Amino acid sequence: MCGIVGAVAQRNVVPILLEGLKRLEYRGYDSAGLAVLAADGLQRVRSVGRVAALAAEAQALGVRGTVGIAHTRWATHGAPTERNAHPHVSRDQLAVVHNGIIENHEQLRAELMVAGYAFSSDTDTEVIAHLVHRHWSACGDLALAVREAVSRLHGAYAIACIVPTAPDRMVCARRGSPLLLGVGIEEYFVASDASALLPVTQRMVYLEEGDIADITLQGYSVSDAQGVVVQRGVHLSELSGETAELGPYRHFMQKEIAEQPRAIGDTIEATLGRGFVPELFGAGAAGVFDGIDSVTVLACGTSFYAGLVARYWIEAIAQLPCSAEVASEYRYRETVRNPRTLIVTISQSGETADTLAALKHAQVQGHVRSLAICNVPESAIVRASTLSMLTRAGMEIGVASTKAFTTQLAALFTLAVTLAKARGVLAAEREAEYLDALRRLPGKVQHVLNLEAQLSVWAERFADKHHALFLGRGVHYPIALEGALKLKEISYIHAEAYPAGELKHGPLALVDADMPVIAIAPNDALLEKLKSNLQEVKARGGELYVLADNDSQFQAEPGVHVIRMPDHEGILSPVLHVIPLQLLAYHTALQKGTDVDKPRNLAKSVTVE
């Protein structure tokens, strides 16, 4: 959601800014813009639509400069128009880009208008530009002006600011939205995501809450929220620029679905080598796990559905009460304080605003034991947590999450078994079975990927539908939820998911020949009950699409379409059954011609509330 790229160099930075924006397209946006400091002052170009349109306009205008900022905008305040696109400019050509939401922008706007500032956009960001200029005109120091300005802001922000009278300087600040520095050779960069800087550097400095960075050609200085100069470590990014390349695939979502055997294998590699030991989650994990009496999972979207699966696993394997909470709701209701609860947050990016806020709320409530399941080292949620386990999925660019979800499941299963072992409720033979099941998992996922051609045929039947119903029971109900989410995200078909036993309590009224019903039918203890539920659909003329284990005795017949999965994989079955639902959504979107990797109205990393 929104993206920032900036550069201070001795070469033309426009190609760097544009390439960085292209690598941030996956986050979701509706307009883009850049501004650079040139010999004759500030040059700015903005456009609605894709970064390619911005690049063409910048080339046509001959935009060049050695210091610059750029932005992709996902509209919040104001429509997606050129006048609302960033960068925003105040007097003396002072330019600002901003991620986040300023909650008190209306009050500040009124104050600045009284002071004589004219507004040309509907955005909250323009308030920042004028506020920085007001302080800068009073003190003459850009870094001090930014510090004074951000002290007035309520809400979340990551900003970068330049002005022609400081031609080799950029000042950045962050609170609530991610921002990092890239360290090159006698040149420096800034971005909201490390992927934007991979073509120019892998050396990253992650700014902390309240930090302000003052960047020049001679180097950079970081000060904290109190104005004290601090040292932030330089980290070598583990990301590879190759992960941002499509290779032989049509879309990043297709590539990321295909990468799941490797991603899961990388995630569980340490577990297979060491067993289910607390140290997988960080130093001191044994002490954190000792004495916990419950688990609360906080997450949003797809990650929340991973948390729902984890609830089943943690209660069944570790014999601990477990709740899964929608992070955006958790912080706004009265909760019971229990310092012996383990707070588990799940986030692909580690910057999800609602999840981070929920974690902080839990910590304020006295929950001192926290563990992050995350795909990005050094992200805000990882840094804010006592413990963490990285999912090793690699960069995920498609907005609809695929490999991040299955690697989250692998990590959460590892957590459930590790907690069981730490509590002394795991028999040695059962531990060996779980370890063997994990070892087989990447190969089993590859087997399921081989069903793609059959799912493509199903997708042809879905393309003209307007609604779909997904059914699952037990631990597979969250997988039905995830399948429905995938279909609606990228094909725009309205889809809902229910526990199959709830059909007769309302959803059955929707079933007819135009409402495809997708059923997850593993050969588990609930199979016979699920078959009875599906008979209710068939009796009312519904069209059934059944994902059945090879040994579950489902037969195809008119109105009943069956794809056979591998033999039942036991407790790890949810990981396998979500793969066909990802492929069904992908091929349905292909049939409909929607933008698979960048679905309308959605952003990859939701960094505002």
Side-chain angles (χ1 to χ4, degrees):
M1 174 176 293
C2 298
I4 288 174
V5 186
V8 176
Q10 299 183 64
R11 53 175 164 156
N12 179 25
V13 299
V14 172
I16 297 170
L17 300 178
L18 290 170
E19 178 61 27
L21 291 186
K22 289 176 183 176
R23 289 171 176 263
L24 294 180
E25 286 188 295
Y26 75 94
R27 294 168 66 98
Y29 70 105
D30 43 52
S31 58
L34 64 84
V36 295
L37 301 182
D40 57 348
L42 187 84
Q43 294 182 335
R44 178 175 61 154
V45 57
R46 300 179 293 174
S47 69
V48 175
R50 295 303 182 207
V51 170
L54 177 71
E57 191 170 348
Q59 182 177 13
L61 294 173
V63 178
R64 295 177 57 85
T66 56
V67 174
I69 51 178
H71 190 267
T72 50
R73 177 178 186 255
W74 193 81
T76 53
H77 297 80
T81 60
E82 182 176 329
R83 75 186 188 90
N84 287 329
H86 300 213
H88 288 286
V89 175
S90 186
R91 300 172 185 170
D92 300 307
Q93 299 184 313
L94 187 148
V96 170
V97 290
H98 163 233
N99 287 354
I101 290 178
I102 305 305
E103 296 171 356
N104 61 333
H105 72 97
E106 291 180 343
Q107 300 95 305
L108 292 173
R109 177 184 286 253
E111 174 186 319
L112 289 162
M113 289 177 69
V114 170
Y117 286 90
F119 284 78
S120 60
S121 77
D122 305 314
T123 68
D124 54 340
T125 299
E126 192 176 0
V127 164
I128 303 174
H130 295 319
L131 194 59
V132 172
H133 180 272
R134 188 179 186 185
H135 288 287
W136 177 70
S137 62
C139 70
D141 182 270
L142 188 59
L144 180 58
V146 169
R147 177 172 300 283
E148 293 292 333
V150 298
S151 71
R152 300 285 314 282
L153 304 180
H154 299 166
Y157 58 82
I159 65 172
C161 180
I162 57 175
V163 65
T165 52
D168 66 344
R169 192 179 189 187
M170 178 188 305
V171 177
C172 309
R174 69 149 299 216
R175 183 183 296 278
S177 288
L179 198 66
L180 56 92
L181 308 183
V183 180
I185 300 173
E186 297 183 346
E187 56 185 9
Y188 300 91
F189 312 94
V190 62
S192 49
D193 189 317
S195 62
L197 302 184
L198 291 177
V200 288
T201 185
Q202 287 186 292
R203 300 176 66 210
M204 310 291 181
V205 176
Y206 293 87
L207 299 181
E208 300 286 348
E209 285 285 277
D211 279 357
I212 294 178
D214 190 357
I215 307 167
T216 70
L217 280 174
Q218 287 70 47
Y220 65 91
S221 173
V222 179
S223 57
D224 65 15
Q226 287 69 48
V228 178
V229 175
V230 293
Q231 298 296 319
R232 303 296 185 208
V234 178
H235 300 269
L236 190 65
S237 174
E238 298 178 10
L239 297 175
S240 166
E242 294 178 0
T243 59
E245 304 298 332
L246 263 177
Y249 299 97
R250 291 181 64 180
H251 300 92
F252 282 106
M253 183 178 180
Q254 182 188 32
K255 175 176 182 271
E256 287 152 10
I257 291 172
E259 288 174 340
Q260 288 176 109
R262 189 274 309 158
I264 292 171
D266 288 350
T267 298
I268 63 175
E269 181 180 10
T271 308
L272 298 180
R274 304 171 66 184
F276 298 101
V277 296
E279 290 72 24
L280 293 169
F281 300 90
V288 174
F289 293 162
D290 183 39
I292 66 171
D293 62 8
S294 61
V295 177
T296 296
V297 180
L298 305 174
C300 299
T302 286
S303 295
F304 172 66
Y305 298 148
L308 289 177
V309 174
R311 182 183 66 182
Y312 284 91
W313 285 339
I314 290 170
E315 295 198 341
I317 300 171
Q319 299 175 27
L320 277 169
C322 180
S323 64
E325 301 264 3
V326 175
S328 58
E329 292 293 318
Y330 173 79
R331 63 186 289 216
Y332 293 115
R333 70 176 184 83
E334 295 294 328
T335 54
V336 178
R337 179 181 179 274
N338 179 7
R340 296 177 67 187
T341 294
L342 176 66
I343 301 293
V344 177
T345 53
I346 313 171
S347 170
Q348 185 278 139
S349 68
E351 305 289 350
T352 309
D354 288 318
T355 306
L356 183 58
L359 171 61
K360 292 178 178 178
H361 172 74
Q363 290 170 335
V364 169
Q365 294 292 102
H367 297 99
V368 297
R369 307 166 192 249
S370 58
L371 187 156
I373 303 293
C374 184
N375 194 42
V376 182
E378 299 299 328
S379 60
I381 286 175
V382 170
R383 296 197 306 271
S385 300
T386 311
L387 306 172
S388 65
M389 183 175 185
L390 296 179
T391 51
R392 309 290 179 187
M395 189 188 302
E396 189 179 63
I397 290 176
V399 166
S401 182
T402 52
K403 63 178 180 175
F405 179 70
T406 50
T407 54
Q408 286 170 354
L409 291 181
L412 289 163
F413 180 77
T414 300
L415 174 63
V417 180
T418 303
L419 289 174
K421 187 175 180 180
R423 286 169 49 79
V425 297
L426 182 68
E429 58 271 20
R430 183 55 59 89
E431 179 183 2
E433 290 173 9
Y434 289 152
L435 202 59
D436 189 52
L438 271 184
R439 188 173 288 111
R440 294 194 307 267
L441 190 58
K444 291 281 189 176
V445 170
Q446 185 59 59
H447 189 161
V448 177
L449 288 171
N450 295 336
L451 301 172
E452 184 169 6
Q454 296 178 58
L455 290 153
S456 177
V457 173
W458 277 14
E460 294 174 7
R461 298 172 176 267
F462 276 68
D464 64 346
K465 303 300 183 184
H466 299 288
H467 310 277
L469 190 62
F470 288 72
L471 302 176
R473 295 207 68 148
V475 72
H476 293 87
Y477 165 53
I479 300 306
L481 288 165
E482 173 62 9
L485 178 62
K486 285 290 145 307
L487 189 67
K488 70 181 77 168
E489 279 181 318
I490 63 170
S491 75
Y492 314 146
I493 293 173
H494 170 245
E496 293 190 60
Y498 281 90
E502 286 293 293
L503 265 176
K504 63 180 71 69
H505 297 288
L508 203 56
L510 297 172
V511 171
D512 60 22
D514 293 322
M515 168 80 84
V517 178
I518 304 93
I520 303 167
N523 189 14
D524 60 13
L526 292 171
L527 178 62
E528 293 307 316
K529 292 187 179 297
L530 176 66
K531 287 182 177 180
S532 298
N533 301 142
L534 298 188
Q535 286 298 325
E536 298 169 347
V537 174
K538 185 180 175 185
R540 287 154 179 82
E543 193 91 354
L544 278 168
Y545 295 81
V546 183
L547 294 168
D549 285 347
N550 193 43
D551 49 0
S552 62
Q553 307 298 314
F554 260 102
Q555 299 299 322
E557 56 183 284
V560 181
H561 312 277
V562 179
I563 288 179
R564 300 205 176 279
M565 304 275 290
D567 289 341
H568 185 51
E569 193 51 30
I571 200 162
L572 283 171
S573 174
V575 182
L576 300 185
H577 275 85
V578 77
I579 309 294
L581 303 181
Q582 295 170 349
L583 289 167
L584 176 62
Y586 172 73
H587 283 282
T588 302
L590 284 187
Q591 291 288 330
K592 290 175 66 68
T594 59
D595 191 337
V596 172
D597 288 332
K598 307 181 193 71
R600 68 189 184 198
N601 304 332
L602 298 180
K604 179 65 179 175
S605 182
V606 184
T607 56
V608 296
E609 186 178 0

